[in-house]
Amino acid sequence: NGSDVRALIKCEIALFFQHHRYSNRFRSIAHLYSIGKSAEDRELYVMVISDNPTVHEAGEPEFKYIANMHGNEVVGRELLLNLIEYLCHNYGSDPEVTQLVNTTRIHIMPSMNPDGYEIAKEGDVRGYTGRNNSNNFDLNRNFPDQFTTITEPRQPETIAVMNWLKSYPFVLSANLHGGSLVVNYPYDDDKQGRTEYSKCPDDKVFKQVARSYSQENALMHKGHPCEDLYPSAFFEDGITNGANWYNVPGGMQDWNYLNTNCFEVTIELGCVKYPKAQHLPMYWDQNRRALLQYIHQVHRGVKGMVIDIRDGTGIPNATIMVEEINHPITTNLAGDYWRLLVPGTYHLTASARGYNSVKIYATVPEEGVELVDFRLTRVRSEPNGQAPKDPGATQDPAEEQFHSFIKDLSLGQGLEQLVQSTATESSFRYRRYKELSEFLRGLTLNFPKITSLHRYA
């Protein structure tokens, strides 16, 4: 009815102005934007907090918090609103907050499901009212999945978040939920759909970042949450592999890991989904240190630039591989990258199309991040036109056959005769594919200053 609509609009306007108040008052470090709209046309707001909030600074990692994906799980929503206020008010006076804001671009989305939140009921302990979006779909079962075909239609909120993640080079994230007290990390499901450990290539990293949160929440770290509701539940150190707890096909955290550079965990903040408002200060006291400590984790592992050695420009979309960890990440538009890793020594390889690969050994310290820059040389960049050898790369048989052909041409007058023939008979006869390819590639190798050959996939 009309009064209900007015109430919903009033709530959205209040949230809008609360966000804008901080965006305007702390405009040097805070910027408000929307990534799209919900099914009922509510804005999906994000507050970004950094010393230069409106632009990506090369070398500065992007971090995000998302809450209220399930509309009736509200603690995360309120904690993130409080976190925005805490960061803004303490910037410049609190050394830890100042350092985090100056060195990190922090994106905070208090509510991914504002429609569900509007119909949720305060005091809900284990219910479902407001959990789904207004089309009655569970947003945390709505993302593409590696093991299961998700047949439900992709929802506006899901699409908005997927596009958002493709638009920013996020490194680390947490998705805040309610109903238990634990940090849950990938994978969230497996091929068989069984309740068993589903290990991802970066299992050690996820355990490290998960523990960084749980260790700062004493009740969570004990591992016995919700003893009244779930007496048999136990999570060692307050963390769990997702599928080892229960299977979640179509979850957001796995989609982050498999489709972007971003590592995401799911944090269950408490046993009651929608606690009474008077209990919110208690939740803030339990989680304030953990929320800050988790942001610090984005500054672990290795980071640096992948650069064209010829002109010093960054190389976008270059690939960084870690030996024995089957999970490549890619560089941003400026050529900068971040790779979360646990302490240890690693063999890193940077590669990019048209460049020779470079391999470097790097040691990740117990605290902080190791700076590792890669300087790549272009293939066929030498003045004499000879393609440089890449000892770390392998050639396919066709490539080896071609270079053998070029070597034969280079002996005696072979190449000169080939070039001379192009002005006469070669213009007036048909060429098979192999001959045409060899002809064009031979010209490219021997006249690199004025010719360039491209292959389009």
Side-chain angles (χ1 to χ4, degrees):
N1 59 40
S3 61
D4 290 338
V5 172
R6 285 192 295 273
L8 296 182
I9 293 174
K10 184 178 179 181
C11 288
E12 184 178 8
I13 290 174
L15 182 60
F16 174 80
F17 279 109
Q18 183 179 8
H19 283 166
H20 267 289
R21 180 163 58 87
Y22 284 100
S23 183
N24 289 329
R25 184 178 174 187
F26 301 98
R27 65 180 60 192
S28 64
I29 61 167
H31 173 68
L32 180 68
Y33 67 97
S34 172
I35 67 165
K37 293 189 176 184
S38 69
E40 289 187 346
D41 215 32
R42 291 184 174 90
E43 299 286 352
L44 301 175
Y45 287 119
V46 177
M47 184 74 82
V48 58
I49 299 175
S50 186
D51 61 343
N52 195 359
T54 59
V55 297
H56 171 75
E57 296 181 88
E60 184 172 281
E62 309 261 350
F63 174 94
K64 64 182 168 73
Y65 273 130
I66 299 178
N68 203 212
M69 185 183 202
H70 291 148
N72 65 330
E73 298 171 13
V74 304
V75 172
R77 181 183 189 273
E78 302 308 318
L79 291 186
L80 291 190
L81 289 172
N82 217 51
L83 180 62
I84 291 171
E85 185 176 6
Y86 183 83
L87 293 174
C88 288
H89 279 291
N90 287 280
Y91 178 74
S93 58
D94 182 293
E96 180 183 25
V97 169
T98 304
Q99 181 209 8
L100 284 174
V101 173
N102 284 343
T103 60
T104 321
R105 197 171 179 213
I106 305 165
H107 302 250
I108 298 175
M109 176 188 282
S111 182
M112 182 180 165
N113 184 5
D115 299 351
Y117 174 78
E118 293 301 336
I119 64 171
K121 304 297 183 183
E122 185 175 350
D124 179 9
V125 178
R126 302 171 64 176
Y128 290 90
T129 301
R131 174 186 174 89
N132 294 348
N133 76 342
S134 60
N135 292 330
N136 200 27
F137 288 103
D138 186 333
L139 298 178
N140 206 33
R141 308 291 190 279
N142 197 236
F143 285 77
D145 190 87
Q146 63 176 326
F147 301 123
T148 303
T149 300
I150 305 301
T151 58
E152 289 81 2
R154 205 81 64 223
Q155 294 302 295
E157 298 89 345
T158 308
I159 294 169
V161 168
M162 291 170 66
N163 291 335
W164 180 40
L165 267 60
K166 292 290 188 179
S167 302
Y168 292 84
F170 291 115
V171 180
L172 183 62
S173 172
N175 177 17
L176 307 185
H177 284 243
S180 187
L181 190 63
V182 65
V183 183
N184 164 26
Y185 56 87
Y187 288 134
D188 250 340
D189 62 345
D190 66 5
K191 290 181 180 179
Q192 290 76 33
R194 293 196 293 257
T195 300
E196 60 185 14
Y197 205 109
S198 185
K199 187 176 181 179
C200 79
D202 282 288
D203 191 66
K204 291 181 180 178
V205 173
F206 276 111
K207 287 180 178 177
Q208 174 178 273
V209 298
R211 285 196 182 97
S212 76
Y213 193 97
S214 69
Q215 288 171 353
E216 297 292 341
N217 184 319
L219 188 59
M220 179 186 289
H221 194 249
K222 287 180 180 178
H224 288 284
C226 318
E227 291 184 282
D228 293 339
L229 297 174
Y230 312 107
S232 63
F234 173 71
F235 304 108
E236 185 176 356
D237 293 336
I239 68 173
T240 184
N241 173 262
N244 203 38
W245 184 15
Y246 63 94
N247 260 250
V248 179
M252 183 166 68
Q253 71 175 15
D254 285 8
W255 190 87
N256 270 259
Y257 180 67
L258 293 167
N259 295 277
T260 75
N261 291 338
C262 189
F263 289 44
E264 181 172 278
V265 301
T266 301
I267 303 175
E268 303 280 349
L269 292 166
C271 306
V272 178
K273 293 184 177 182
Y274 199 147
K276 295 290 186 179
Q278 63 261 33
H279 298 308
L280 290 175
M282 175 192 70
Y283 286 100
W284 173 250
D285 290 341
Q286 289 175 352
N287 289 280
R288 180 184 64 84
R289 282 297 321 148
L291 288 165
L292 296 175
Q293 185 58 38
Y294 189 75
I295 300 174
H296 281 293
Q297 303 310 301
V298 78
H299 298 282
R300 304 289 297 270
V302 295
K303 72 170 187 177
M305 299 284 297
V306 179
I307 299 167
D308 187 321
I309 198 169
R310 183 180 59 179
D311 55 18
T313 58
I315 302 174
N317 206 37
T319 299
I320 309 295
M321 281 293 301
V322 182
E323 192 172 90
E324 298 183 356
I325 301 178
N326 184 25
H327 185 74
I329 58 102
T330 56
T331 57
N332 185 41
L333 293 174
D336 47 345
Y337 77 93
W338 307 261
R339 197 1 169 139
L340 300 179
L341 291 166
V342 300
T345 299
Y346 298 90
H347 194 184
L348 309 176
T349 302
S351 57
R353 187 168 183 175
Y355 291 85
N356 293 308
S357 300
V358 171
K359 297 182 180 181
I360 294 177
Y361 281 97
T363 299
V364 176
E366 289 293 328
E367 296 292 336
V369 64
E370 179 74 3
L371 183 63
V372 180
D373 292 332
F374 293 88
R375 292 169 174 80
L376 273 56
T377 57
R378 286 184 178 271
V379 174
R380 308 187 188 98
S381 61
E382 280 73 0
N384 63 8
Q386 295 298 310
K389 294 182 179 179
D390 179 3
T394 59
Q395 290 183 331
D396 59 50
E399 198 76 16
E400 293 177 353
Q401 184 180 12
F402 167 70
H403 285 291
S404 175
F405 169 76
I406 292 298
K407 183 178 180 181
D408 292 341
L409 281 178
S410 300
L411 299 175
Q413 302 298 312
L415 183 60
E416 182 179 347
Q417 292 172 2
L418 173 66
V419 174
Q420 289 177 349
S421 71
T422 63
T424 55
E425 62 174 324
S426 64
S427 301
F428 302 101
R429 64 184 176 86
Y430 297 111
R431 295 177 182 271
R432 297 291 183 186
Y433 175 79
K434 181 179 178 181
E435 186 182 0
L436 176 64
S437 299
E438 292 169 344
F439 170 74
L440 292 175
R441 296 168 79 178
L443 289 177
T444 302
L445 284 176
N446 286 277
F447 300 99
K449 293 184 178 180
I450 60 172
T451 63
S452 177
L453 186 64
H454 298 277
R455 177 190 297 147
Y456 293 93

